[in-house]
Amino acid sequence: MKKRKIIIIGAAGRDFHNFNTRFRNDDSVEVIAFTAAQIPNIDGRKYPAELAGPLYPKGIPIFAESDLPNLIKNYEVDECVFSYSDVPYSHVMKLSAIVNAAGASFTLLGPKDTQIKSSKPVIAICAVRTGSGKSQTSRKIVQMLMKRGLKVVAIRHPMPYGDLIKQKVQRFATIEDLARHNCTIEEMEEYEPHIARGNVIYAGVDYEAILREAEKEADVILWDGGNNDFSFYVPDLMITVADPLRAGNEVSFYPGEVSLRTADVVIINKIDSASPEQIQIVRENIARTNPAALVIDAASPISVDHPELIRGKRVLCVEDGPTLTHGMMKYGAGIVAARKFQAAQIIDPRPYISGELIKTFQTYPEIGTLLPAMGYSTTQTRDLEQTIDRTDCDAVIIATPIDLNRVVKIRKPTVRVGYDLQEIGKPDLNEVLDDFCARHKLV
């Protein structure tokens, strides 16, 4: 019987998981290739044979997404599986048109084909968009469970940008583990806050192998979902964070709306900085798409360690990279801090950018007068350091989840911005977790 030829359209994350769970052991199909987008320098590699399994002794090549029409025609591909997240519906359908025009079918895999069942209770923390506040929500829930005497192991949505074989299963329990695994800035931003609070976090490529290792040391598994993807694991409690600063995105981005529709709890974050009109739009969309969900109001108040370095000063704001790029946020906590503590001027970094950061601003021209902390490679990290060094400013506001001073040498005074989830009113997460623990006999 002729095998069905497939291309997986991805961005070094969900694509590998979809292959592993749905196609790796299916001898009725042949996965011809992966394509790559969103993240720089991840095409041109191979998904290695050691991870691809016995049906793929030569591994699977990874091409740029721009090659998709030619790949479909040259390899007579039957089906293309879209497998990345945090994109508007118009982007998904434009790709479907490209695929259909080249002659292939276009598909989206759902939870039944891709979610893995754990032997331990699973709490999944997801979001409707990158930068909604998922990470601080995850951190808070871990702390609340630890105070109940539970051993919580977090598993983070994949970011395998390096050696995929070495990244099959990664465990992070100390700051030294970040260096040992050659983590990028993006990876450190997600892993370090968990480590600093005393809990273990796993990540990598093979998420069934990761889960089985994590289960050995956990009472509860916490899925710390990236972008706005839905969980890789069957959740026993699904919590989705919504962002009213991008009101309407919760029902117009893929797969954010999936995360919204499948949530047991929806947290409307940032209500301290969003307008009443924006908050109401989100409330109405939740009520329409998932009326059974419990809704919690929350804020993400900021704090700074040296406000005197902001007041009356000319400052450069360095913000979380993915939130500003494919997350499409116009500003982050750094800009909020600069305004709150009355900076004299927010310096535009664009006259000073160098290297790959030039490409970043060309790809995402709407970024504006702030600097995304791009660090997917050592080259990007070097370019970031050089740009900060060249920028004519009095101080640098660091609004990334990690202290960039550990990663790049900053020769100017720096201010760290912190932000944590703060629930407002009732219901709250304490009630949610009390119910969860009772149902699973954890206390």
Side-chain angles (χ1 to χ4, degrees):
M1 185 175 177
K2 185 179 178 182
K3 291 189 175 185
R4 187 168 177 81
K5 294 182 179 180
I6 289 174
I7 288 175
I8 300 178
I9 304 170
R14 161 66 71 173
D15 47 355
F16 300 151
H17 179 71
N18 281 355
F19 170 79
N20 292 339
T21 53
R22 173 61 185 84
F23 299 116
R24 181 162 55 188
N25 299 314
D26 186 350
D27 60 7
S28 71
V29 304
E30 180 183 2
V31 175
I32 298 297
F34 293 92
T35 63
Q38 284 188 326
I39 311 301
N41 305 318
I42 57 169
D43 55 319
R45 304 188 297 170
K46 269 193 173 185
Y47 193 62
E50 292 87 340
L51 298 176
L55 296 178
Y56 299 90
K58 295 181 180 179
I60 304 170
I62 303 172
F63 297 98
E65 189 180 281
S66 57
D67 294 334
L68 190 57
N70 289 331
L71 292 169
I72 293 170
K73 292 176 180 177
N74 292 341
Y75 291 96
E76 299 181 331
V77 169
D78 300 297
E79 179 181 349
C80 293
V81 180
F82 184 80
S83 302
Y84 61 93
S85 57
D86 206 35
V87 289
Y89 288 150
S90 59
H91 178 89
V92 179
M93 295 315 297
K94 182 176 284 294
L95 266 177
S96 77
I98 291 170
V99 168
N100 288 168
S105 296
F106 182 85
T107 58
L108 300 168
L109 293 179
K112 284 186 178 179
D113 275 324
T114 60
Q115 284 186 337
I116 302 166
K117 179 66 177 173
S118 175
S119 63
K120 299 294 177 72
V122 173
I123 299 176
I125 314 297
C126 300
V128 299
R129 291 298 314 279
T130 295
S132 295
K134 170 199 58 60
S135 295
Q136 56 260 47
T137 302
S138 295
R139 294 194 299 268
K140 178 155 191 174
I141 288 174
V142 168
Q143 289 179 294
M144 295 173 76
L145 290 170
M146 290 173 70
K147 285 182 179 178
R148 286 166 164 81
L150 298 170
K151 175 67 173 178
V152 185
V153 175
I155 302 179
R156 177 58 167 75
H157 188 276
M159 296 183 284
Y161 309 138
D163 186 322
L164 297 178
I165 297 172
K166 291 181 179 178
Q167 292 179 298
K168 177 181 178 180
V169 177
Q170 296 176 297
R171 181 182 185 273
F172 302 92
T174 67
I175 295 298
E176 289 73 27
D177 290 333
L178 301 175
R180 186 165 60 86
H181 288 290
N182 298 312
C183 288
T184 64
I185 288 177
E186 280 67 27
E187 291 170 305
M188 285 187 279
E189 286 179 344
E190 298 299 336
Y191 307 154
E192 184 176 318
H194 282 281
I195 294 169
R197 286 163 172 80
N199 69 291
V200 173
I201 183 165
Y202 280 79
V205 180
D206 190 328
Y207 274 76
E208 179 154 15
I210 289 167
L211 178 62
R212 302 313 170 207
E213 287 300 313
E215 288 171 337
K216 295 176 183 177
E217 55 179 316
D219 297 316
V220 177
I221 299 292
L222 183 130
W223 169 254
D224 186 352
N227 287 353
N228 59 343
D229 208 348
F230 56 86
S231 175
F232 286 13
Y233 304 129
V234 178
D236 297 289
L237 173 63
M238 172 72 171
I239 299 174
T240 298
V241 184
D243 183 357
L245 293 179
R246 289 170 285 181
N249 282 190
E250 63 278 353
V251 290
S252 60
F253 273 69
Y254 179 83
E257 187 174 344
V258 178
S259 295
L260 179 68
R261 286 179 176 271
T262 55
D264 300 302
V265 177
V266 180
I267 297 174
I268 304 178
N269 193 20
K270 306 180 186 178
I271 67 169
D272 53 334
S273 50
S275 70
E277 292 77 16
Q278 290 173 313
I279 295 166
Q280 185 60 26
I281 289 171
V282 175
R283 289 197 195 283
E284 290 173 359
N285 284 334
I286 295 169
R288 184 168 56 253
T289 59
N290 188 357
L294 181 72
V295 178
I296 294 175
D297 291 343
S300 291
I302 64 165
S303 61
V304 300
D305 55 358
H306 292 291
E308 73 278 4
L309 294 178
I310 300 176
R311 197 176 308 276
K313 305 293 186 181
R314 300 162 59 253
V315 298
L316 170 66
C317 296
V318 184
E319 306 269 16
D320 175 60
T323 299
L324 300 175
T325 54
H326 61 79
M328 292 187 256
M329 277 286 286
K330 303 299 183 185
Y331 64 91
I335 295 291
V336 173
R339 292 170 177 167
K340 179 177 180 179
F341 293 99
Q342 300 177 343
Q345 184 182 358
I346 298 172
I347 300 299
D348 187 343
R350 285 174 289 190
Y352 309 101
I353 58 176
S354 62
E356 290 192 8
L357 277 170
I358 296 173
K359 297 178 184 177
T360 299
F361 276 86
Q362 288 172 342
T363 304
Y364 302 98
E366 68 280 356
I367 289 174
T369 57
L370 42 80
L371 184 63
M374 304 300 289
Y376 290 108
S377 66
T378 54
T379 300
Q380 284 193 332
T381 302
R382 183 197 64 221
D383 294 338
L384 179 64
E385 180 176 297
Q386 290 178 350
T387 298
I388 294 172
D389 196 48
R390 292 170 56 186
T391 301
D392 182 15
C393 64
D394 300 319
V396 178
I397 298 178
I398 300 173
T400 57
I402 61 167
D403 185 356
L404 280 181
N405 284 293
R406 273 203 322 101
V407 183
V408 300
K409 187 174 182 179
I410 302 176
R411 298 171 179 84
K412 299 176 172 69
T414 60
V415 181
R416 286 292 311 280
V417 179
Y419 41 91
D420 290 297
L421 189 78
Q422 180 184 82
E423 300 143 273
I424 298 173
K426 297 286 185 176
D428 61 16
L429 287 172
N430 199 53
E431 297 173 21
V432 171
L433 294 181
D434 279 346
D435 176 70
F436 173 81
C437 291
R439 284 191 290 112
H440 293 278
K441 298 180 172 59
L442 293 170
V443 289

